[in-house]
Amino acid sequence: MNTVAIRGAITVENNNSNDILCNTVELIKEIERRNNINKSQVIAIIFSSTTDLNVEYPAKAARELGYLNTALMCFNEMNVVGNLSKCIRLMMLYNTEISQDRIKHVYLKGAKILRPDLDIS
């Protein structure tokens, strides 16, 4: 078994708890679906959000999805001039037999522009 990193991002409409949590759930569920995730093998999920999202922790959504024994951390994304606004990013560290090159990273909504090289089918 090896550890892989799964990346993802999603944008949200509004800086409110409901939008942050619902969109984070959508992102995590899509990562789970595309990569056939077994929650017990997720080591950690690191979240970052742009500084314009400051009313809720994205990690709260992961806890609500059952990631109770997974290390979760939240950080602010660098405030780069011209950056994508209202964006939540994550990196999931996952123990699996699958090699890193077979992982499906997930970028949804406005965050698709961050990785135009990815096949989203």
Side-chain angles (χ1 to χ4, degrees), residues 36-62:
N36 197 29
I37 297 295
N38 176 342
K39 285 181 183 147
S40 69
Q41 292 175 243
V42 177
I43 300 166
I45 306 174
I46 302 165
F47 296 91
S48 69
S49 60
T50 50
T51 57
D52 51 3
L53 296 176
N54 62 3
V55 298
E56 191 64 82
Y57 293 105
K60 183 176 179 182

